[in-house]
Amino acid sequence: MQKTDEDLIAAHVQGDQKAFAELVNRYGKLLLGYLVRISGSREQAEDMFQETFLRVHSKATTFREGSKFKPWLFRIATNISIDGIRKSKRRPVTVPLEGHGDNPGAESDILPSRSPLPDDGAMASERKQIVQGAINALPTRQRAALVLSYYHGLTHKEIAEAMQCAPGTVKTHLSRALVALAKLLPDMEGETA
Amino acid sequence: MKDHLSQEDLVNCQFELGSDEQASAWKQHLAECESCRTALAKLKAKFSSLDLLNVEMVVPQNLVNDLLNKVQSAPVSTRIITWPRMLGLTAAAAVILILAAPHLFKDPDLSDPQLAAKPGMATSKEIAVLKAEEPFPPASAIELNVLPTRDDVQLTIYNSADLTLVREKRNLTMKAGWNWMQFMWVNTLIDPTSLRLEPMKYKDKIDVQALVFPPRLGELGRWLIFSEVSGQVPVEITYLTSGLSWRAFYMGTMSPDEKTMKLEAYVRVINKSGEDYEEAQTRLIVGEVHLLDEVARLARRKYPYGRPIDPYATRESGKDDDERRREKGKYVLWSDGPPPDEDEEGGELMTHKKDIKKEGLSEYFLYTIEGKETIPHRWAKRLPSFDVSDIPIESLYKYDEERWGRSAMRFVSFANDKDHKLGETPIPNGRMRIYRRLDEEKHLAYVGGAEIKYVPIEEDIELDLGRARQVVVEPKLMNYKTDNYLYNGRGDVAGWDEIREWRITVKNTRKIPVTLEITRGFNRPHWTLEPMQDGGYEKHDATHARFNVELEPGSKKEIIYRATTYHGTREQFAK
């Protein structure tokens, strides 16, 4: 039977090296995706990825029994990413139409377009950059709430635990983020539901 | 009907961010308002662009490896116990310590089997349990160790084959149980099929089970090792690589009288293998080694042992896959697309174990460079090889129009033997530059340079140093006539003699005496030569005569001789 995340963190505290590696295996992609979307920079996201797991390792003994690992992990990641973003004093990224701009990671992780028409691929790439730019334009905490909710499916309660705030505050962050995005995102012509 | 829903209301409605009452009100309004329904649909379409970023991230393997290394090197921090708890624990610990003290400081009895369970050595029970556990798949990063830095490395460079054998010693940190040990060769010319890992200690307790090349992870291989010990284990890793080469250079300094020479030899080692080698003991192989394959080509293959074999490609009834392959004599290495090397022979070779064959060896010799050197990638280093003084040499000038035109050539000769203070090892081929010491202050003049071939022990060496400007040879035809005609039955000339009188002026403008060897050719084997002045000669071969002349410093001599060549029926009269 597969061990739970909580069992693994407990095993890690006891000195089981395999347990930590398994946690990295389970949450690596998820965490990196979160950090890339929230920071808008692949390079910065990879640094934060390492820092997050290293902090998980160093704080493993403080993980309370009965808690859930995933929100705890995202809490650490959110704190690190907010600090990181504030330090880098990022401005909304404006990505040129050609090239990777400041988001090489976003480009490299995006699956190649399956469209046979070269124009379709270029348009999709441009839209992705616009979307990433719009998300980057959000204030940090709104950005974190949006990414955790929309891309990672965390409940408001889990997001609240990750961001160390009340669930109502999470709703407010989400609402403001989405309203802002509604103004920043372009209309999708001819693609209404 | 109420006013239309605001954009905020629409957003909150779409993402269910309102209260239950608000949600109900919005639902009712949307049921009645087509305009708001259209606006909501547009909003949904707009937000669908967020899904463009909904792609799965790929975590780079090196990022994970680096992280796990850092985690392994840093212990889990101990739990911080607050003061009230600590008081009780401290008291308990003190009691335990007092009671256990007599037993704690006893010398361990190593014969006691229970003590085999000390840290570092697993008990047989633990081993059985560990072995029963399946190791994690090779493509996961679990149980993975990356090789630590080298403690020692030895390079043996086979120049003739662009092949280097690398032997490294490293201390691996193993844990009891399964270990995956990773080795990467990206951007290097290492042949992954030649990799070998052998423990230098605890050989009976460490089992190197397999070397796996997980696909899609790039140029890396992983050893699966079962270890009964945990801790540091010294291992030796050997492999073949390409891209390392060496070249010999020699500097000869002749004495002012050109009777002796000091010979200094260097070896320049060039590293283009893609890997840095620090503090490496370097050994050089001189000679020919016969190999089946080129290491550089092997190193650049995508799949170390070829693509996975398709057992169904040659299905014949009643036979299993191995049997079919044995009968065909080769493996089918591709099921679609071109073979990895785009030729059948390359595909076949990949399935066989590689050997270094020594058939057809002329001879080979091993040179060990003293000490250790650091040779990073894209660096070349010059290392001293040998230094021998007062080697007796012969400085000789030669003149042969057929070979070198109308210039005298300069040669220096000696031998690779004990008489010449050499003869301990063969001399590898390389470039030799000769200088001459002009005075006691060690001012040097460049005399010339030559490429020398590999010189075995007891073999002579003659260096061609190029044209000699200070020794001049000027041959002049003084007389020519034909004589002694013989006629055939029809009255035509059938035989005759050609008589030439030559005067060769030789000048030595140097300040030391020189020996000059003049070779004269006749283009035919039927000739006689009559010296007339200083014309003492020897018959060099069927068509050549050779004069040896000694010239004092700043002197001039004339050699005069008459050469008769016999043509046609007169050839019978040649002596």
Side-chain angles (χ1 to χ4, degrees):
Chain A
M1 197 172 98
Q2 203 185 28
K3 286 183 180 174
T4 63
D5 300 341
E6 293 71 35
D7 290 339
L8 286 173
I9 195 72
H12 173 64
V13 171
Q14 297 303 317
D16 184 352
Q17 292 176 3
K18 285 193 291 185
F20 190 84
E22 174 63 14
L23 283 170
V24 173
N25 208 27
R26 284 186 191 180
Y27 285 99
K29 288 178 189 174
L30 207 64
L31 183 68
L32 187 63
Y34 170 60
L35 293 169
V36 168
R37 290 182 193 105
I38 199 173
S39 66
S41 160
R42 176 70 188 225
E43 199 182 324
Q44 195 175 10
E46 286 185 4
D47 289 341
M48 292 195 280
F49 175 93
Q50 275 221 359
E51 208 180 322
T52 303
F53 273 114
L54 286 172
R55 204 176 284 187
V56 165
H57 162 67
S58 64
K59 301 270 185 208
T61 50
T62 66
F63 181 76
R64 287 193 212 98
E65 278 184 40
S67 309
K68 284 284 175 196
F69 176 77
K70 185 176 173 182
W72 184 66
L73 172 70
F74 277 97
R75 183 181 356 145
I76 293 173
T78 304
N79 287 339
I80 287 171
S81 58
I82 289 172
D83 287 343
I85 291 164
R86 279 183 192 148
K87 276 179 195 167
S88 67
K89 294 179 185 173
R90 289 186 64 83
R91 292 179 183 175
V93 174
T94 51
V95 182
L97 291 178
E98 293 88 26
H100 298 292
D102 286 340
N103 287 344
E107 275 297 328
S108 67
D109 287 324
I110 290 166
L111 294 171
S113 168
R114 294 181 191 276
S115 164
L117 302 172
D119 285 345
D120 286 355
M123 272 179 64
S125 177
E126 185 187 332
R127 276 185 200 156
K128 283 168 198 165
Q129 291 171 0
I130 292 169
V131 170
Q132 183 68 60
I135 292 174
N136 289 348
L138 298 172
T140 317
R141 293 188 75 81
Q142 288 180 20
R143 202 190 309 174
L146 173 77
V147 172
L148 285 170
S149 172
Y150 192 90
Y151 292 104
H152 296 281
L154 266 66
T155 63
H156 295 169
K157 193 179 167 192
E158 287 171 336
I159 297 173
E161 199 181 324
M163 292 179 63
Q164 293 177 283
C165 61
T169 311
V170 170
K171 273 189 176 179
T172 307
H173 284 320
L174 281 172
S175 174
R176 288 178 183 167
L178 291 162
V179 168
L181 281 181
K183 291 171 189 160
L184 292 169
L185 290 173
D187 289 323
M188 303 288 275
E189 292 175 6
E191 293 177 17
T192 52
Chain B
M1 198 183 342
K2 272 183 155 180
D3 292 333
H4 294 300
L5 295 176
S6 67
Q7 193 168 57
E8 189 176 342
D9 288 337
L10 287 169
V11 165
N12 289 335
C13 174
Q14 184 185 344
F15 290 97
E16 298 172 5
L17 292 172
S19 62
D20 292 339
E21 282 173 12
Q22 284 174 311
S24 177
W26 292 329
K27 191 177 170 185
Q28 194 175 357
H29 179 88
L30 286 166
E32 296 163 1
C33 179
E34 192 184 337
S35 174
C36 286
R37 284 200 301 276
T38 308
L40 184 65
K42 276 189 182 170
L43 199 67
K44 277 185 183 172
K46 191 182 267 200
F47 278 113
S48 69
S49 64
L50 288 177
D51 292 330
L52 290 171
L53 298 187
N54 208 2
V55 290
E56 195 174 80
M57 291 288 158
V58 175
V59 182
Q61 191 57 46
N62 59 339
L63 183 66
V64 173
N65 293 343
D66 192 36
L67 168 67
L68 292 175
N69 272 343
K70 284 177 182 169
V71 165
Q72 277 177 9
S73 60
V76 176
S77 58
T78 53
R79 199 176 187 94
I80 299 168
I81 304 168
T82 54
W83 173 246
R85 287 189 203 173
M86 200 163 181
L87 191 60
L89 280 170
T90 309
V95 169
I96 292 165
L97 194 66
I98 291 164
L99 292 174
H103 304 284
L104 284 176
F105 299 104
K106 193 165 66 173
D107 283 339
D109 180 1
L110 295 175
S111 63
D112 185 347
Q114 291 300 317
L115 284 169
K118 64 184 175 187
M121 205 71 69
T123 60
S124 46
K125 203 174 173 186
E126 283 170 339
I127 292 164
V129 169
L130 288 166
K131 262 199 172 157
E133 283 180 15
E134 292 272 331
F136 280 89
S140 75
I142 300 167
E143 300 174 326
L144 182 68
N145 286 316
V146 175
L147 286 177
T149 52
R150 296 184 192 99
D151 292 328
D152 199 22
V153 60
Q154 182 194 72
L155 305 174
T156 306
I157 308 174
Y158 295 77
N159 229 25
S160 59
D162 188 18
L163 171 77
T164 297
L165 176 67
V166 183
R167 297 172 69 176
E168 299 179 353
K169 290 193 170 64
R170 300 189 192 223
N171 266 323
L172 301 189
T173 304
M174 303 255 201
K175 63 170 175 60
W178 295 106
N179 295 265
W180 283 104
M181 210 63 64
Q182 179 168 292
F183 185 98
M184 296 175 73
W185 62 84
V186 66
N187 292 331
T188 71
L189 295 176
I190 292 171
D191 173 14
T193 61
S194 65
L195 281 166
R196 189 168 158 271
L197 184 146
E198 194 184 338
M200 305 308 292
K201 218 174 163 186
Y202 310 114
K203 290 185 184 185
D204 55 335
K205 297 195 187 308
I206 292 175
D207 182 16
V208 182
Q209 295 238 332
L211 175 59
V212 178
F213 302 97
R216 298 182 298 279
L217 291 186
E219 290 159 293
L220 59 88
R222 289 180 177 171
W223 278 289
L224 177 60
I225 303 169
F226 185 84
S227 173
E228 295 176 20
V229 301
S230 58
Q232 296 269 307
V233 176
V235 300
E236 185 179 82
I237 299 169
T238 56
Y239 54 88
L240 295 173
T241 186
S242 183
L244 280 151
S245 61
W246 62 271
R247 194 163 151 69
F249 293 88
Y250 306 93
M251 179 171 157
T253 308
M254 293 195 290
S255 57
D257 62 2
E258 296 185 8
K259 296 273 189 226
T260 59
M261 180 174 76
K262 175 178 174 173
L263 187 62
E264 295 160 273
Y266 301 92
V267 165
R268 189 161 171 251
V269 179
I270 302 158
N271 180 8
K272 291 182 187 173
S273 67
E275 178 71 16
D276 297 330
Y277 291 101
E278 291 165 4
E279 295 295 306
Q281 187 204 34
T282 311
R283 306 190 319 166
L284 314 173
I285 298 285
V286 180
E288 293 294 320
V289 176
H290 182 58
L291 278 184
L292 287 174
D293 316 292
E294 295 171 7
V295 175
R297 187 178 68 80
L298 293 173
R300 290 189 189 109
R301 292 168 304 180
K302 187 179 176 188
Y303 303 103
Y305 285 104
R307 275 191 207 178
I309 294 163
D310 176 11
Y312 302 105
T314 58
R315 174 144 288 175
E316 291 173 28
S317 61
K319 294 177 185 173
D320 64 21
D321 295 334
D322 282 340
E323 210 177 325
R324 280 200 296 281
R325 285 186 206 115
R326 277 195 293 275
E327 281 180 4
K328 280 185 82 83
K330 59 178 149 185
Y331 291 98
V332 176
L333 287 179
W334 58 93
S335 55
D336 58 341
D341 277 343
E342 296 184 356
D343 68 88
E344 195 170 327
E345 273 188 15
E348 185 178 272
L349 279 170
M350 277 186 225
T351 63
H352 297 134
K353 187 184 167 188
K354 275 158 260 308
D355 293 321
I356 293 181
K357 286 199 174 177
K358 293 185 180 175
E359 318 168 2
L361 266 183
S362 52
E363 78 181 8
Y364 72 95
F365 206 89
L366 180 70
Y367 291 90
T368 301
I369 303 289
E370 236 177 272
K372 293 183 179 182
E373 291 294 332
T374 294
I375 313 173
H377 172 52
R378 291 183 185 268
W379 278 52
K381 261 206 166 173
R382 197 176 83 155
L383 311 170
S385 179
F386 65 81
D387 185 342
V388 180
S389 298
D390 298 325
I391 297 172
I393 58 168
E394 279 178 46
S395 187
L396 182 66
Y397 290 83
K398 296 185 183 180
Y399 180 89
D400 187 335
E401 279 182 32
E402 287 173 21
R403 291 172 73 182
W404 304 304
R406 298 182 76 97
S407 292
M409 303 294 284
R410 178 126 186 230
F411 290 83
V412 169
S413 61
F414 53 102
N416 184 16
D417 57 21
K418 291 206 179 337
D419 292 339
H420 291 83
K421 303 194 179 181
L422 297 167
E424 287 186 12
T425 67
I427 296 177
N429 46 310
R431 180 151 183 86
M432 190 173 289
R433 289 190 173 87
I434 305 292
Y435 300 83
R436 182 169 156 261
R437 208 168 67 242
L438 295 175
D439 50 37
E440 292 310 313
E441 289 175 25
K442 297 188 179 176
H443 291 117
L444 296 178
Y446 179 65
V447 176
E451 289 283 341
I452 61 164
K453 295 267 189 261
Y454 171 79
V455 184
I457 298 170
E458 301 295 330
E459 191 75 10
D460 291 336
I461 306 166
E462 189 175 64
L463 304 173
D464 178 353
L465 301 181
R467 295 184 191 284
R469 290 181 176 80
Q470 291 178 298
V471 174
V472 178
V473 179
E474 291 172 342
K476 198 184 258 186
L477 181 64
M478 302 304 291
N479 240 324
Y480 172 76
K481 69 175 183 181
T482 55
D483 202 356
N484 297 328
Y485 296 102
L486 292 177
Y487 299 91
N488 60 18
R490 292 196 297 271
D492 298 324
V493 173
W496 68 98
D497 294 351
E498 289 180 10
I499 301 149
R500 292 174 175 83
E501 229 171 78
W502 287 94
R503 184 172 71 196
I504 303 175
T505 307
V506 293
K507 294 181 209 167
N508 175 19
T509 59
R510 298 197 63 193
K511 291 178 186 167
I512 56 171
V514 300
T515 303
L516 177 62
E517 184 186 273
I518 300 172
T519 304
R520 302 296 289 169
F522 304 102
N523 294 323
R524 56 195 316 105
H526 310 286
W527 53 272
T528 53
L529 198 149
E530 182 190 335
M532 294 168 72
Q533 179 181 315
D534 279 336
Y537 76 99
E538 62 179 15
K539 185 175 181 182
H540 175 60
D541 60 30
T543 58
H544 294 87
R546 188 169 274 176
F547 299 86
N548 289 301
V549 184
E550 301 285 341
L551 285 164
E552 291 300 315
S555 67
K556 176 177 156 183
K557 261 189 186 175
E558 282 188 351
I559 300 163
I560 302 174
Y561 66 90
R562 186 180 291 124
T564 304
T565 52
Y566 302 88
H567 301 261
T569 48
R570 279 288 294 169
E571 286 174 2
Q572 60 190 307
F573 295 98
K575 293 170 193 168

